[in-house]
């Protein structure tokens, strides 16, 4: 596959007094050019750590312990800090969860855009002025508002501005960490529409880190499902969400409220994810999985179960029979 | 309907920050966070209040809980007007109408054991010491934390988010309330554990015949726990009725936009453009007439002149729109 980014067996550890926390423990997936990939999972699954590790924005206590992440032919893991800095903004850019973190509160938005365009992009000031107006128009903001301060913007407008800022130097890949989580539903939808439009118009690839399956369903082409530091399932959105192969993905879909699904109950997944300080051997979902068998004490590898559809589950072949069972609350209650 | 807790034409106005021009003109702008809200919930019923941030749903909850003084209007509990109650006279009301906090990670004192967190409200409301333990065990069973001994002597950091939110709910139930008000009760929790907490809330409501009010921005979630829903926009209820009907055939254009925007976890949802324009207006400079008109795709001349009142449009359904 023609991948823009190819992540293989990536491990990211946090040093703690009690020992290393294996936040990401062997993640593999591809981001094809011009596609939006949803990195989905619950708190502590490692999705944000993974997104940040790819961008090289990690806290001091975190380090990449193993694996590779080949972006446009170069392994991000082995790049020097200087080489990496050259890629930031120009080839890959980051949109953080709260736009306020991307924007400087004591600088007008226009000045922030100019700074990136002139100092990092090497544009002349007049060129940068034109480009800044273009970027604002691109995300649906009035260019007159470049003179405004961040606090004069609503949450949705700030998120648009931080996307415009990330796009300043025409990156090929945008990594967005929960870009709509803090926003109201109507604003969420508007921002997701902006992202989809940008992807189509500029041919961008994006990694959208989210806990929200509905965001993935609405905005993404592909999805990578993470659980307890591991990728448990990945593939095209339709295949993964409509016919999940991993019991965790099945459970996630049934636990998610759906405005249109007839009647029904929300089905919880009992229990909690394991500690990543001393993760259990074998499948990490086994303790909560209603379909666990003896073999789950061994680690299942991520394999291509169907064309382009990867899963790490010993019982993946039985998925069609397990799916109806997974939709019943009684299956999970024990 | 036996109304256990009701709001009658509640208004809450906050003084808004003043610009120099306001000061010079002697103008004192006020922000009507809640602007004439009436609602009623009976025993065993659940009402969802839905809206975006700034719509006044949380202020409405605080007014109902008597944590905030209304500018006008009244709160009625078990047939008694409790709006004028102050201080010690409020104590019985406080034990009977309980709040379920949004964030389980900071709702409990991290230094207290779970037992102490559950004992505190009982002590505050004067339950004799020898009766407290039985009450605590009852509340723990109600929220399905079983066996209780496995949790009572632990501290919050030793519990998962889902377990903590059950403790928070147990603390609300331990005083034997008649009504509970839950402000975004599961928004801080992971999807896989939300359903469990919501099921516990719903069972408690059924078994104890509680009146329940859920505040949420998430219409999809409200659908699973509330038979009735009220949609708020800029301090007013713009539509109310049975949740399933409101979702299936929304009468107010704002509700239609909200329904269209709610994300659903399915592919192939080509749901077209949202039937709404722009963003929330400045709350101090709301348009004349209908507050929604400048975002409404259907607005016409009358909407500029006349604010539509909330009126009955079908049995059990109300909407504030000239076209409803």
């Amino acid at each position: 596959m023609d991948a823009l980014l190819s992540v293989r067996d990536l491990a990211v550890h946090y040093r703690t007094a009690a020992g290393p926390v294996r936040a990401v423990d062997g993640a593999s997936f591809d981001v094809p050019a011009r596609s939006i990939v949803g990195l989905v999972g619950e708190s502590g699954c490692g999705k944000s750590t993974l997104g940040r590790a790819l961008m090289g924005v990690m806290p001091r206590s975190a380090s990449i312990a193993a694996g590779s992440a080949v972006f446009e032919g170069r392994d991000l893991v082995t790049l020097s800090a200087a080489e990496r800095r050259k890629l930031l903004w120009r080839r890959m850019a980051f949109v953080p969860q709260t736009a306020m973190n991307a924007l400087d509160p004591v600088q007008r938005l226009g000045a922030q855009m100019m700074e990136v365009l002139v100092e990092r992009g090497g544009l002349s000031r007049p060129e940068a002025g034109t480009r800044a107006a273009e970027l604002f128009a691109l995300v649906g903001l009035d260019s007159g508002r470049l003179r405004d301060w961040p606090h004069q913007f609503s949450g949705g407008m700030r998120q648009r501005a931080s996307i415009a800022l990330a796009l300043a130097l025409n990156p090929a890949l945008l990594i967005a960490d929960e870009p709509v989580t803090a926003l109201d539903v109507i604003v969420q939808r508007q921002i997701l529409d902006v992202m989809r439009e940008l992807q189509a118009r500029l041919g961008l690839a994006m990694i959208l880190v989210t806990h929200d399956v509905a965001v993935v369903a609405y905005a993404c082409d592909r999805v990578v499902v993470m659980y307890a530091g591991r990728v448990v399932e990945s593939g095209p959105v339709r295949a993964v969400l409509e016919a999940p192969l991993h019991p965790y993905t099945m459970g996630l879909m049934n636990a998610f409220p759906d405005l249109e699904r007839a009647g029904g109950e929300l089905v919880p997944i009992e229990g909690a994810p394991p500690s990543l300080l001393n993760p259990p051997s074998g499948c990490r979902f086994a303790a909560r999985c209603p379909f666990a068998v003896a073999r789950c004490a061994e680690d299942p590898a991520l394999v291509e179960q169907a064309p382009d559809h990867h899963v790490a589950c010993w019982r993946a072949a039985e998925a069609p029979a397990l799916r109806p069972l997974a939709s019943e609350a009684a299956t999970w209650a024990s | 309907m036996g109304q256990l807790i009701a709001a009658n034409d509640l208004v809450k106005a906050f003084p808004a920050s003043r610009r120099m021009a306001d000061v010079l003109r002697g103008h004192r702008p006020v922000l009507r966070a809640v602007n004439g809200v009436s609602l009623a919930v009976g025993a065993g019923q659940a009402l969802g209040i839905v809206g975006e941030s700034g719509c006044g749903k949380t202020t409405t909850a605080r007014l109902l809980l008597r944590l905030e003084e209304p500018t006008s209007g009244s709160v009625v509990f078990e047939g008694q007007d409790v709006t004028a109650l102050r201080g010690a006279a409020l104590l019985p009301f406080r034990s009977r109408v309980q709040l379920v906090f949004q964030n389980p990670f900071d709702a409990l004192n991290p230094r207290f054991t779970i037992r102490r967190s559950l004992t505190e409200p009982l002590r505050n409301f004067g339950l004799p010491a020898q009766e407290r333990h039985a009450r605590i065990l009852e509340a723990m069973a109600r929220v399905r934390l079983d066996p209780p001994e496995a949790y009572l002597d632990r501290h919050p950091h030793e519990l998962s988010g889902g377990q903590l939110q059950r403790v928070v709910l147990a603390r609300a139930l331990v005083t034997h309330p008649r009504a509970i008000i839950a402000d975004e009760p599961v928004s801080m929790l992971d999807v896989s554990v939300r359903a469990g907490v919501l099921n516990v809330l719903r069972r408690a409501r059924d078994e104890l015949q509680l009146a329940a009010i859920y505040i949420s921005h998430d219409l999809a979630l409200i659908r699973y726990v509330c038979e009735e829903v009220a949609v708020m926009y800029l301090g007013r209820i713009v539509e109310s009725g049975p949740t399933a009907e409101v979702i299936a055939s929304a009468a107010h254009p704002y509700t239609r936009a909200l329904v269209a925007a709610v994300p659903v976890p399915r592919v192939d949802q080509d749901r077209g453009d949202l039937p709404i324009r722009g963003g929330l207006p400045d709350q101090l400079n709301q348009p004349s007439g209908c507050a929604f008109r400048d975002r409404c795709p259907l607005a016409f001349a009358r909407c500029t002149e006349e604010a539509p009142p909330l009126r009955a449009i079908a049995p059990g359904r109300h909407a504030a729109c000239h076209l409803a």
Side-chain angles (χ1 to χ4, degrees):
Chain A
M1 184 163 52
D2 172 26
L4 180 71
L5 172 71
S6 217
V7 178
R8 289 291 172 274
D9 304 314
L10 197 73
V12 184
H13 294 178
Y14 288 99
R15 283 184 304 278
T16 70
V21 169
R22 299 158 195 274
V24 178
D25 200 13
S28 301
F29 64 94
D30 285 333
V31 178
R34 294 180 184 75
S35 67
I36 305 186
V37 176
L39 204 55
V40 72
E42 300 183 279
S43 45
C45 74
K47 60 188 189 300
S48 287
T49 301
L50 180 49
R52 290 177 167 272
L54 293 172
M55 274 315 292
V57 286
M58 293 190 294
R60 276 175 182 281
S61 61
S63 61
I64 294 179
S68 64
V70 177
F71 172 68
E72 294 186 322
R74 294 201 283 174
D75 186 356
L76 298 173
V77 174
T78 55
L79 279 189
S80 72
E83 285 173 310
R84 221 188 152 92
R85 255 197 307 280
K86 276 191 229 157
L87 289 181
L88 293 186
W89 297 94
R90 288 181 192 81
R91 300 310 301 155
M92 55 200 292
F94 189 57
V95 179
Q97 176 167 3
T98 33
M100 259 325 205
N101 293 348
L103 305 174
D104 180 351
V106 296
Q107 244 194 336
R108 292 179 201 269
L109 288 156
Q112 301 186 41
M113 298 279 266
M114 296 295 274
E115 188 178 308
V116 173
L117 291 165
V118 173
E119 281 167 31
R120 287 188 174 261
L123 271 66
S124 70
R125 292 199 70 83
E127 281 169 354
T130 314
R131 175 78 180 138
E134 252 174 49
L135 287 164
F136 255 41
L138 204 56
V139 296
L141 289 171
D142 177 14
S143 60
R145 304 215 55 168
L146 280 163
R147 276 190 295 275
D148 284 0
W149 304 90
H151 75 263
Q152 292 172 293
F153 273 28
S154 67
M157 290 163 74
R158 272 181 219 146
Q159 198 54 277
R160 286 173 196 255
S162 90
I163 292 170
L165 196 63
L167 293 176
L169 304 184
N170 272 322
L173 175 69
L174 208 61
I175 300 181
D177 189 6
E178 301 275 8
V180 297
T181 299
L183 304 172
D184 281 313
V185 285
I186 289 174
V187 185
Q188 265 192 19
R189 170 70 178 275
Q190 290 164 340
I191 297 291
L192 291 177
D193 285 344
V194 165
M195 298 183 84
R196 288 216 305 195
E197 205 186 303
L198 289 171
Q199 184 265 328
R201 252 166 75 180
L202 307 178
L204 278 175
M206 293 187 203
I207 296 178
L208 220 152
V209 178
T210 181
H211 69 285
D212 192 334
V213 187
V215 165
V216 171
Y218 186 73
C220 298
D221 305 303
R222 305 180 59 81
V223 58
V224 176
V225 184
M226 291 189 69
Y227 184 80
R230 294 265 169 87
V231 172
V232 294
E233 182 162 5
S234 70
V237 162
R238 177 184 303 282
V240 174
L241 300 192
E242 285 185 353
L245 296 176
H246 198 286
Y248 175 64
T249 316
M250 296 175 199
L252 209 52
M253 294 302 289
N254 294 319
F256 206 91
D258 185 338
L259 200 57
E260 291 161 22
R261 188 166 52 202
E265 285 257 316
L266 290 175
V267 181
I269 303 176
E270 300 293 348
S275 155
L276 296 178
L277 195 56
N278 288 305
S281 59
C283 172
R284 291 185 179 177
F285 188 60
R288 300 172 79 187
C289 183
F291 309 124
V293 292
R295 192 160 186 203
C296 303
E298 293 164 49
D299 227 340
L302 189 68
V303 295
E304 189 168 6
Q305 184 69 26
D308 199 24
H309 191 166
H310 293 72
V311 64
C313 174
W314 292 118
R315 301 189 68 183
E318 299 166 66
L322 301 182
R323 253 177 253 133
L325 294 173
S327 67
E328 289 166 27
T331 304
W332 297 83
S334 58
Chain B
M1 177 171 72
Q3 298 178 0
L4 196 77
I5 186 162
N8 296 315
D9 205 15
L10 279 178
V11 173
K12 178 65 183 179
F14 292 104
S17 66
R18 304 165 77 189
R19 299 190 187 95
M20 187 49 88
D22 296 326
V23 176
L24 293 175
R25 277 182 290 153
H27 184 52
R28 291 177 185 276
V30 293
L31 180 91
R32 288 177 192 276
V34 174
N35 201 355
V37 164
S38 300
L39 51 84
V41 187
Q45 296 180 325
L47 169 74
I49 303 180
V50 175
E52 296 177 276
S53 37
C55 74
K57 57 189 192 297
T58 293
T59 307
T60 301
R62 292 178 58 83
L63 290 168
L64 283 166
L65 285 157
R66 296 283 289 106
L67 295 173
E68 202 87 66
E69 290 298 313
T71 307
S72 65
S74 62
V75 177
V76 175
F77 176 65
E78 291 184 321
Q80 186 199 357
D81 186 336
V82 294
T83 326
L85 297 184
R86 299 282 183 283
L90 259 179
L91 218 53
F93 172 81
R94 295 233 181 278
S95 74
R96 308 283 275 163
V97 181
Q98 282 279 333
L99 171 64
V100 178
F101 285 88
Q102 172 176 11
N103 188 344
F105 301 97
D106 60 32
L108 299 167
N109 188 326
R111 291 167 187 278
F112 286 6
T113 60
I114 302 308
R115 185 192 307 277
R116 179 147 179 220
S117 282
L118 295 178
T119 307
E120 257 346 65
L122 295 175
R123 195 203 321 264
N124 292 343
F125 295 120
L127 191 80
Q130 65 274 19
E131 292 172 34
R132 291 177 196 158
H133 185 60
R135 276 289 187 97
I136 289 171
L137 292 184
E138 178 198 330
M140 293 291 278
R142 196 70 76 189
V143 299
R144 311 295 202 265
L145 284 175
D146 190 44
E149 300 76 34
Y151 302 93
L152 284 174
D153 294 312
R154 290 161 83 182
H155 287 82
H157 73 267
E158 297 172 90
L159 270 54
S160 71
Q163 291 167 343
L164 282 178
Q165 193 57 311
R166 289 174 194 228
V167 172
V168 169
L169 179 61
R171 187 177 59 174
L173 295 176
V174 80
T175 63
H176 284 178
R178 298 294 302 129
I180 52 169
I181 298 180
D183 191 355
E184 302 276 11
V186 296
S187 66
M188 300 297 289
L189 302 177
D190 276 321
V191 169
S192 72
V193 297
R194 277 183 193 178
V197 172
L198 289 174
N199 290 343
V200 162
L201 266 163
R202 185 159 56 182
R203 270 197 300 261
R205 188 250 299 184
D206 288 343
E207 291 165 7
L208 302 170
Q209 284 295 294
L210 301 173
I213 296 175
Y214 292 81
I215 313 289
S216 179
H217 67 286
D218 188 344
L219 195 53
L221 200 133
I222 287 295
R223 196 186 87 110
Y224 287 88
V225 280
C226 300
E227 298 75 29
E228 297 280 323
V229 68
V231 180
M232 286 187 75
Y233 185 74
L234 292 181
R236 291 192 172 88
I237 292 176
V238 295
E239 177 158 9
S240 66
T243 313
E245 287 181 40
V246 169
I247 291 172
S249 61
H252 195 285
Y254 176 66
T255 314
R256 281 201 284 273
L258 211 53
V259 169
V262 170
V264 294
R266 271 175 289 111
V267 274
D268 278 336
Q269 31 166 328
D270 203 11
R271 300 192 292 172
D273 286 338
L274 280 186
I276 191 169
R277 298 192 301 246
L280 276 181
D282 177 358
Q283 301 215 23
L284 289 174
N285 291 305
Q286 290 182 23
S288 64
C290 174
F292 185 61
R293 73 169 162 83
D294 59 354
R295 302 183 71 191
C296 182
L298 307 175
F300 60 113
R302 191 174 165 200
C303 307
T304 316
E305 293 145 18
E306 201 186 319
L310 188 66
R311 62 188 170 83
I313 53 163
R317 295 193 59 182
H318 292 78
C321 175
H322 295 308
L323 294 170

